Amino acid sequence: MTLLSTGTIVPSYVLDSWWTPADGSRAQLVLDASTGEEVASVSSEGLDLADVVEHARTVGQASLGRLTFHQRAILLKQLAQYLSGVKEELYTLSARTGATRYDSMVDIDGGIGVLFTLSSKGRREMPNSQVYVDGDVEALSRDGSFSGQHIYTRIPGVACQINAFNFPVWGMLEKFAPAFIAGVPSIVKPASPTGYLTEAVVRHIIASGILPAGTLQLVSGSARDLIDHLDYRDLVAFTGSAGTARSLKAHPNVVEGGVRFTSETDSLNAAILGPDATKGTAEFDAYVASAVTEMTSKAGQKCTSIRRLIVPAGRRDEIVTAVAERVERRVRIGDPRADGVTMGPLASLDQRREVLSSVARLQGGGGRIVMGSTDAPAGTDPNGAFVGPLLLAFDDAESPAVHEIEAFGPVASIIEYTGLDHAVALAALGGGSLVATVATHDPNVARALVLGIAAHHGRVLMLDRVDARSSTGHGAPVPHLVHGGPGRAGGSEELGGIRSVLHHMQRTAIQGSPDMLTAITGQWHTGAAVRHGIHPFRKSLAVLRVGDQVQGGPRTVTLADITAFAEATGDKFYAHTDAEAAAANPFFPGIVAHGYLLVSWAAGLFVDAAPGPVLANSGLERLRFLTPVSPGDSIQVTLTAKRITPRETEDYGEVCWDAVLHNQNDEVVASYDVLTLVSKN
């Protein structure tokens, strides 16, 4: 697939076809970040966004509605594998945005990694159905005839994803992936300065033929009246400036119309150096390395970059010196396509002007440059958007400027704290942040700082000698954990594993009889209809149904059984071996049977031993021992197929069985879930 040629208008992909404006005279020029040469232009002039939204709500919703969570997750994996094969082309195009090879890997490989991770978690942690059950059933009647359950179902609209310029690939894929698994079609609106890279990825996605119709649309250029066409069925996920977020949040369709709105915005992230992390310690070195990495990776154009270095009083100068020395040794600024370059330009000349303006405001607020210069770095193209690493020092640690002004580039400020409480207070002055780092090897310091700042942050990295080499880093959100933060950071969440999928779904409390709850959720509920006859272990997944049940027992427990189990296992806890001591225990009437003896016997009572569809026992969950069993008592077991999860790529699936042990008085002795792998045929 060829790269864009000069003069090309970056197309949109809407209504399952490529679209370009009839008149490109008003298109916005996009320039190479290093040379200032024209790359392309963008415009959405003439695009009917109402049709785009309607296409997603109809065609996209219908396409995804035919698939289960697992089937969608499989498609994501296939897409990740496909994109992995075209990375080199994307790296080449990414360099025009100012990204180094490493920067491009963070963006491109990171985005593909989100697809792989959420695909895996979707298949492991969600059912192979279209309803996600949240939590346990709530009994609402004494006789069990009326209960409640929370479920998640997909929202019936569209996910509109408005992304920032700094991560044109990761920013799209980290929003698209959870929406897709949830079953919600996406409309992607990338930032214009780097949207041509997003378009290249979408072009490959469409060429792969993997996605169902209507599930992904791309708007290149202004989103114009997009939110005008949204309502309570839809979701807007925004990444960008706090000012733009406020403007979008004020839209009547958000304020009054119920459009769901999440935002990830400006963030004055902090890195706190613990008092124990003195020069020469691994923590000191890791702190300095992290500061330089976050200042130079993507030329500091990351919402997670460190903006405030908070260090112990009297330590500022040694940190400044160490940071400057590392920059001198390791950072070479220039065109990312040149050999040896480790830091590229900002994404655009507009961005360069914005960063230098913010630096001037920081200086006006009490900061002074102690490392670097606002002059263009030596040897760089004067037409490029280059700014070298800058570190500003503030004598007044509580100066409003350092806690309010973000220069979105290779810029950080350094301030000193007088004690741990002061460090916490300084971090909080940021007004809510995406991430903070605490560099210390002292657990007491870590506890004081982390618990002090946690409520002000979406993520906290604890950096010490143990994890310094293995850590994913301060500025790297991972798809397993939440990305977002309170206050200034946007007050929302993205990622976080399956949490991100649920953001695109509606949680509903359903109430009814066990049979009705079973019908809606696809999971058997106690009191719902059951079926006897052929032993369930003789049934493959093709014929097994929730509610299939077998009962076994009774079997009487003797003192000899208990003694033999104690001898065989070595579990001679006094409740099983010493009648006097057991009787003194308020929970036992005397010697009682081992709980695991009873569970073992239960397996013997419900199992069908001959070879058949059941391939293996893969585990037990939710085991509870509720009533002691004494010598002379008897037990019986009831095993019911509770949840059936076929695997899309295997010839077997997992069956979760509800197991309940009762004694001769019909009291529940134990309850648990048995997990088995069962053949499909």
Side-chain angles (χ1 to χ4, degrees):
M1 194 172 293
T2 59
L3 301 180
L4 290 169
S5 59
T6 300
T8 298
I9 296 180
V10 180
S12 296
Y13 185 77
V14 296
L15 313 184
D16 292 311
S17 63
W18 290 100
W19 178 94
T20 53
D23 179 9
S25 61
R26 299 173 62 182
Q28 175 186 343
L29 287 179
V30 178
L31 307 180
D32 186 294
S34 296
T35 66
E37 297 172 344
E38 181 181 339
V39 175
S41 59
V42 293
S43 174
S44 60
E45 190 74 25
L47 180 59
D48 191 332
L49 293 175
D51 286 349
V52 174
V53 171
E54 185 62 20
H55 187 71
R57 286 180 179 157
T58 53
V59 177
Q61 278 278 335
S63 296
L64 289 171
R66 288 188 282 269
L67 305 175
T68 66
F69 297 123
H70 285 205
Q71 289 166 342
R72 297 171 198 145
I74 288 292
L75 294 180
L76 275 193
K77 180 179 179 181
Q78 293 172 0
L79 184 59
Q81 293 169 329
Y82 181 90
L83 292 177
S84 294
V86 299
K87 289 189 298 185
E88 286 301 324
E89 176 191 319
L90 299 177
Y91 291 157
T92 300
L93 195 57
S94 178
R96 307 198 74 173
T97 72
T100 64
R101 177 80 176 195
Y102 176 79
D103 294 336
S104 296
M105 291 176 62
V106 171
D107 185 27
I108 296 166
D109 295 63
I112 294 171
V114 173
L115 300 183
F116 276 122
T117 298
L118 289 186
S119 171
S120 175
K121 293 182 79 67
R123 286 173 285 141
R124 287 187 289 109
E125 300 176 24
M126 301 188 79
N128 195 0
S129 69
Q130 297 175 333
V131 177
Y132 181 84
V133 176
D134 177 35
D136 294 330
V137 65
E138 299 289 344
L140 302 176
S141 65
R142 290 186 177 182
D143 64 359
S145 63
F146 184 63
S147 299
Q149 180 84 65
H150 290 98
I151 63 170
Y152 279 94
T153 56
R154 64 184 180 139
I155 60 174
V158 58
C160 296
Q161 298 149 6
I162 304 173
N163 297 317
F165 67 84
N166 52 339
F167 285 100
V169 181
W170 179 87
M172 173 182 69
L173 296 180
E174 65 97 6
K175 291 183 175 69
F176 167 75
F180 187 82
I181 293 180
V184 180
S186 294
I187 297 173
V188 175
K189 192 314 190 175
S192 294
T194 55
Y196 57 88
L197 180 53
T198 307
E199 185 272 346
V201 177
V202 171
R203 187 170 290 277
H204 277 296
I205 290 174
I206 300 307
S208 75
I210 292 170
L211 298 188
T215 58
L216 175 62
Q217 298 183 86
L218 171 73
V219 176
S220 297
S222 172
R224 301 189 340 270
D225 60 346
L226 177 60
I227 299 183
D228 292 350
H229 307 294
L230 305 182
D231 59 33
Y232 76 96
R233 295 170 291 177
D234 307 307
L235 178 150
V236 173
F238 171 81
T239 298
S241 72
T244 303
R246 284 192 295 270
S247 175
L248 296 176
K249 284 181 180 179
H251 192 286
N253 284 359
V254 177
V255 177
E256 301 171 8
V259 174
R260 300 168 188 232
F261 189 92
T262 65
S263 60
E264 185 260 291
T265 59
D266 304 347
S267 183
L268 286 157
N269 309 297
I272 304 174
L273 184 67
D276 60 302
T278 55
K279 188 174 182 179
T281 64
E283 290 70 36
F284 180 94
D285 293 342
Y287 183 86
V288 170
S290 180
V292 173
T293 295
E294 296 308 319
M295 193 177 290
T296 58
S297 174
K298 294 287 286 187
Q301 300 169 111
K302 298 195 300 184
C303 56
T304 53
S305 291
I306 296 171
R307 304 299 179 196
R308 298 176 296 158
L309 301 175
I310 303 177
V311 304
R315 304 274 303 282
R316 184 179 66 192
D317 291 348
E318 67 181 26
I319 297 295
V320 171
T321 298
V323 169
E325 289 175 349
R326 188 174 180 89
V327 168
E328 179 66 24
R329 290 196 313 271
R330 292 178 172 261
V331 179
R332 181 186 169 193
I333 305 168
D335 188 323
R337 290 158 289 208
D339 291 339
V341 168
T342 60
M343 176 179 157
L346 300 176
S348 68
L349 292 173
D350 284 344
Q351 186 60 23
R352 182 178 187 274
R353 284 188 287 270
E354 177 64 29
V355 168
L356 294 180
S357 173
S358 296
V359 170
R361 293 169 59 206
L362 286 167
Q363 290 176 292
R368 65 182 188 281
I369 296 176
V370 292
M371 184 197 76
S373 168
T374 56
D375 295 336
T380 58
D381 192 317
N383 296 311
F386 293 97
V387 174
L390 291 166
L391 184 59
L392 293 91
F394 284 77
D395 294 328
D396 179 4
E398 298 181 19
S399 168
V402 73
H403 303 293
E404 296 175 3
I405 299 171
E406 179 182 25
F408 199 74
V411 182
S413 300
I414 185 167
I415 55 179
E416 294 182 329
Y417 67 85
T418 56
L420 297 184
D421 289 344
H422 188 213
V424 169
L426 291 174
L429 288 176
S433 301
L434 295 171
V435 57
T437 285
V438 171
T440 179
H441 194 54
D442 185 329
N444 293 322
V445 170
R447 179 177 175 82
L449 290 175
V450 172
L451 295 185
I453 68 174
H456 306 280
H457 294 80
R459 175 168 60 91
V460 177
L461 167 65
M462 291 174 283
L463 190 62
D464 72 356
R465 66 197 64 181
V466 177
D467 66 7
R469 295 181 66 86
S470 59
S471 166
T472 51
H474 171 100
V478 293
H480 317 69
L481 303 177
V482 295
H483 175 53
R488 177 176 179 146
S492 304
E493 285 185 358
E494 296 176 340
L495 298 178
I498 297 307
R499 296 175 185 85
S500 62
V501 178
L502 301 182
H503 292 162
H504 297 82
M505 307 182 76
Q506 173 63 42
R507 182 165 54 189
T508 304
I510 59 173
Q511 299 168 281
S513 68
D515 283 320
M516 292 298 102
L517 295 182
T518 297
I520 300 302
T521 64
Q523 297 186 16
W524 182 81
H525 288 68
T526 301
V530 298
R531 284 167 296 281
H532 297 97
I534 299 175
H535 194 291
F537 277 26
R538 309 310 306 165
K539 296 181 179 181
S540 68
L541 292 190
V543 294
L544 184 68
R545 297 292 180 267
V546 293
D548 285 351
Q549 187 179 90
V550 64
Q551 295 177 320
R555 179 169 179 175
T556 301
V557 179
T558 68
L559 180 60
D561 294 325
I562 298 172
T563 301
F565 191 82
E567 290 296 332
T569 63
D571 180 0
K572 298 181 180 181
F573 184 65
Y574 72 85
H576 313 304
T577 57
D578 187 328
E580 183 177 351
N585 187 313
F587 294 103
F588 302 127
I591 286 180
V592 295
H594 305 70
Y596 298 110
L597 167 62
L598 303 177
V599 171
S600 299
W601 277 11
L605 294 174
F606 66 62
V607 75
D608 185 300
V614 176
L615 305 174
N617 182 330
S618 58
L620 295 179
E621 294 181 340
R622 304 161 61 91
L623 175 60
R624 296 291 183 271
F625 297 116
L626 303 172
T627 304
V629 173
S630 302
D633 289 345
S634 61
I635 62 166
Q636 56 186 356
V637 62
T638 302
L639 188 78
T640 311
K642 178 180 181 180
R643 184 175 63 249
I644 302 173
T645 307
R647 296 192 179 182
E648 289 293 323
T649 58
E650 307 289 350
D651 58 2
Y652 61 87
E654 185 177 79
V655 179
C656 176
W657 307 83
D658 179 80
V660 182
L661 275 65
H662 290 86
N663 63 16
Q664 70 277 8
N665 299 319
D666 205 32
E667 297 170 317
V668 177
V669 169
S671 64
Y672 51 100
D673 290 343
V674 178
L675 306 180
T676 61
L677 302 179
V678 180
S679 174
K680 288 183 177 179
N681 298 296

